[in-house]
């Protein structure tokens, strides 16, 4: 199994090149390409690939015995000339550049199976098996050999991966069940299966791992097995719920203006009282056949976990208290 650190974001925007021609062996700094000028060609490369390739959709429609639910790509040519193009089977969303928010891209993603379990948020940890590839001009945008992969689920904190991978995964759902094999391993059921086609500005751009060319467009295929709710400051409030202004950027939500965004701040309002004591955490244990809990006022579900052996479900909620009834939850109210 190859290491998975290739998915960590690399936001350095200059490429350092050592010139052997310089007498004093100094390092020449080559500025990265203009991101706005790179955006159009990067999407065009991906669209060229999508127009000339297909995936094994027929196996997903009528799974053969022992089918592994993995997406495989091939060129539309010869015996495959009549296959349906990827461009006719993908969807896309508009995503802003990872560095320059004035630049945006079409992010194409392929849904072989959406998944039947819980949806994934951009602040969650997603457990996936995957293959990472890049498109190559030298091979007419054929996918190169895999540069990173895992055949067992690996957990990725989605705030720490390249933006294109993150934004692709949030369109899918995790498994809705697990069975236990005779050897003690787990077999996931109803998991999401897909692929995402990532322009370089949503990937590594000019500064990626040595195994990936600069400005390469990436392709990831994946199977989304499990999802863990992200709570990066362990204050009981899921990180996705700490986006106070609702703009999708967690880093500009800083209620007490102390320089620490709320999703990393253990005292969101700066009143000296930890957030964990200004909300109420609750847990409900549901045995098979039990009815869902009825939540109270200002109480929201934050997580649920199923025990694979007993099928007992633990539902976690928090209640947002407002002691002075001013409409501001206590954990965001510096007066309490």
């Amino acid at each position: 199994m190859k290491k998975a650190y290739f998915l960590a974001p690399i936001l350095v925007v200059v490429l350092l090149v050592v010139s052997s021609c310089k007498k004093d062996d100094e390092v020449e700094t080559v500025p990265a390409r203009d991101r706005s000028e790179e955006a159009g060609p990067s999407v065009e490369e991906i669209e060229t690939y999508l127009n000339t390739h297909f995936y094994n959709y027929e196996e997903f429609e009528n799974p053969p015995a022992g089918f592994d639910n993995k997406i495989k790509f091939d060129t539309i040519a010869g015996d495959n000339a009549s296959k349906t193009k990827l461009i006719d089977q993908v969807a896309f969303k508009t995503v802003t550049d990872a560095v320059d928010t004035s630049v945006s891209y079409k992010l194409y993603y392929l849904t072989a199976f959406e998944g039947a379990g819980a949806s994934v948020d951009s602040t969650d940890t997603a457990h996936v098996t995957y293959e990472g590839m890049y498109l190559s001009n030298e091979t007419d945008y054929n996918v190169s050999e895999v540069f990173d992969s895992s055949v067992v689920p690996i957990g990725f904190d989605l705030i720490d991966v390249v933006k294109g991978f993150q934004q692709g995964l949030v369109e899918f759902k995790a498994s809705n069940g697990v069975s236990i094999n005779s050897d003690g391993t787990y077999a996931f059921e109803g998991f999401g299966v897909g692929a995402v086609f990532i322009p370089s500005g949503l990937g590594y751009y000019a500064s990626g791992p040595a195994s990936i060319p600069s400005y390469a467009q990436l392709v990831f295929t994946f199977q989304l097995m499990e999802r863990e709710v992200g709570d990066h400051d362990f204050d009981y409030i899921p990180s996705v719920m700490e986006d106070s202004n609702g703009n999708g950027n967690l880093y500009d939500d800083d209620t007490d203006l102390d320089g620490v965004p709320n999703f990393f701040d253990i005292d969101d309002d700066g009143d000296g009282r930890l957030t964990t004591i200004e909300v109420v955490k609750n847990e409900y244990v549901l045995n098979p056949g039990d009815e869902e809990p009825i939540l109270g006022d200002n109480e929201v579900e934050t997580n649920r976990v199923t025990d694979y052996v007993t099928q007992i479900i633990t539902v976690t909620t928090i209640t947002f208290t407002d002691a002075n009834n001013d409409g501001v939850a206590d954990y965001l109210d510096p007066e309490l």
Side-chain angles (χ1 to χ4, degrees), residues 22-319:
K22 293 188 176 291
K23 294 180 180 179
D24 55 2
D25 293 326
E26 66 184 32
V27 175
E28 178 183 355
T29 300
V30 180
R33 298 173 186 169
D34 184 280
R35 298 180 83 92
S36 62
E37 293 179 0
E38 188 70 15
S42 67
V43 174
E44 288 175 7
E45 287 188 18
I46 289 172
E47 290 175 344
T48 296
Y49 181 79
L50 296 175
N51 273 294
T52 55
H53 290 74
F54 72 101
Y55 85 104
N56 53 328
Y57 57 88
E58 293 167 321
E59 290 186 304
F60 282 92
E61 294 169 354
N62 297 289
F67 182 49
D68 58 7
N69 288 290
K70 288 185 178 180
I71 291 175
K72 302 176 181 67
F73 301 116
D74 203 349
T75 306
I76 296 179
D79 292 340
N80 296 323
S82 63
K83 300 296 185 183
T84 302
K85 299 175 183 178
L86 281 168
I87 194 67
D88 295 327
Q89 296 184 302
V90 295
F92 72 87
K93 60 196 289 190
T94 300
V95 180
T96 56
D97 186 272
V99 174
D100 184 351
T101 56
S102 69
V103 179
S104 61
Y105 307 82
K106 282 184 177 180
L107 179 69
Y108 288 97
Y109 58 93
L110 171 69
T111 304
F113 183 64
E114 180 185 18
S119 297
V120 176
D121 289 316
S122 60
T123 57
D124 290 342
T125 292
H127 294 259
V128 297
T129 63
Y130 67 94
E131 288 187 340
M133 300 160 274
Y134 63 87
L135 305 188
S136 171
N137 286 306
E138 297 177 359
T139 56
D140 193 25
Y141 305 122
N142 284 311
V143 172
S144 73
E145 65 180 73
V146 174
F147 68 80
D148 190 20
S149 66
S150 178
V151 297
V152 297
I154 289 183
F156 291 107
D157 185 337
L158 294 187
I159 70 166
D160 289 333
V161 302
V162 294
K163 190 172 184 179
F165 188 68
Q166 176 205 65
Q167 288 299 304
L169 276 177
V170 298
E171 299 298 323
F172 292 81
K173 298 178 180 179
S175 166
N176 68 337
V178 177
S179 59
I180 303 176
N181 299 319
S182 58
D183 60 1
T185 59
Y186 295 130
F188 293 91
E189 302 164 358
F191 50 85
V193 183
V196 61
F197 305 85
I198 305 174
S200 62
L202 301 178
Y204 300 116
Y205 205 59
S207 303
S211 57
I212 304 174
S214 299
Y215 309 107
Q217 322 320 324
L218 308 179
V219 179
F220 281 96
T221 62
F222 52 84
Q223 298 172 315
L224 174 54
M225 304 302 184
E226 290 185 296
R227 156 258 198 183
E228 294 177 39
V229 174
D231 178 10
H232 291 85
D233 52 9
F234 304 102
D235 64 355
Y236 305 154
I237 301 175
S239 295
V240 72
M241 295 177 64
E242 303 222 50
D243 180 15
S244 301
N245 58 21
N247 69 350
N249 178 10
L250 292 172
Y251 291 92
D252 66 359
D253 299 283
D254 181 10
T255 298
D256 56 9
L257 302 177
D258 64 351
V260 180
N262 289 352
F263 82 111
F264 276 137
D265 196 337
I266 60 175
D267 178 12
D268 291 307
D269 56 10
D271 63 357
R273 302 174 70 224
L274 297 180
T275 297
T276 52
I277 64 174
E278 295 192 290
V279 298
V280 178
K281 180 183 177 182
N282 314 288
E283 284 190 348
Y284 303 89
V285 178
L286 306 180
N287 292 297
D290 285 354
E291 295 184 359
E292 288 288 318
I294 299 175
L295 305 187
D297 293 339
N298 299 319
E299 182 181 7
V300 297
E301 180 177 328
T302 57
N303 196 22
R304 64 173 54 212
V305 177
T306 302
D307 185 297
Y308 298 148
V309 177
T310 64
Q311 293 300 301
I312 292 175
I313 299 172
T314 301
V315 178
T316 304
T317 71
I318 52 173
T319 299

